[in-house]
Amino acid sequence: MRINLTSVFVDDQLKALAFYTDVLGFRQKNKVAVGEDWWLTVVSPEDPEGTELLLEPDGHPAVKPYKAALVEDGIPAAAFAVDDVAAEYERLRGLGVYFTQEPLQMDDVTVAVLDDTCGNLIQIMHTA
């Protein structure tokens, strides 16, 4: 068994697509109209056949309070692996990304937390 698809709830799918591709560097894999929304997935350019991230609309009534509670408590909705947290932090800050947590090393794990502009906190991390 392996993870094939996971998702983050976003408040605007096309804005999320731009952020996750143009800023974070993922690649669009699927964009299929589903009513007024999209089945919209992105993948890592390093593993285009790997795990897909679904940029899922947050229209369900339970989702917005859930997302708001996570953000209020500083809890990331997802975590992405990077080779160098400090370098990625600097690259993304240069693109105007807002971080709620600067790089922090805890034993052999380094993490930082960013705002994805679509209602989520996202953690970037590296394990030594």
Side-chain angles (χ1 to χ4, degrees):
M1 188 177 303
R2 65 187 186 280
I3 298 171
N4 183 55
L5 175 79
T6 191
S7 63
V8 291
F9 290 106
V10 297
D11 57 18
D12 180 320
Q13 286 185 292
L14 297 181
K15 180 173 94 173
L17 178 62
F19 182 82
Y20 280 77
T21 56
D22 298 342
V23 177
L24 295 185
F26 290 104
R27 293 210 178 121
Q28 179 182 316
K29 180 150 187 179
N30 293 294
K31 185 179 179 190
V32 178
V34 180
E36 295 179 10
D37 296 313
W38 301 92
W39 178 262
L40 184 56
T41 65
V42 295
V43 294
S44 168
E46 297 170 16
D47 190 10
E49 298 307 314
T51 304
E52 295 177 50
L53 178 66
L54 174 63
L55 303 175
E56 188 157 358
D58 68 0
H60 188 280
V63 173
K64 289 185 186 191
Y66 167 75
K67 284 174 51 178
L70 290 179
V71 170
E72 184 175 322
D73 289 344
I75 300 171
F80 304 137
V82 297
D83 292 332
D84 183 333
V85 172
E88 193 65 11
Y89 170 82
E90 291 301 328
R91 181 187 79 81
L92 292 172
R93 280 197 35 155
L95 294 172
V97 174
Y98 172 72
F99 279 79
T100 61
Q101 179 184 304
E102 295 181 359
L104 174 65
Q105 186 167 351
M106 301 171 290
D107 292 325
D108 63 347
V109 177
T110 305
V111 300
V113 179
L114 62 95
D115 181 332
D116 79 349
T117 75
C118 301
N120 302 291
L121 298 179
I122 301 295
Q123 179 173 278
I124 57 173
M125 62 184 298
H126 176 76
T127 304

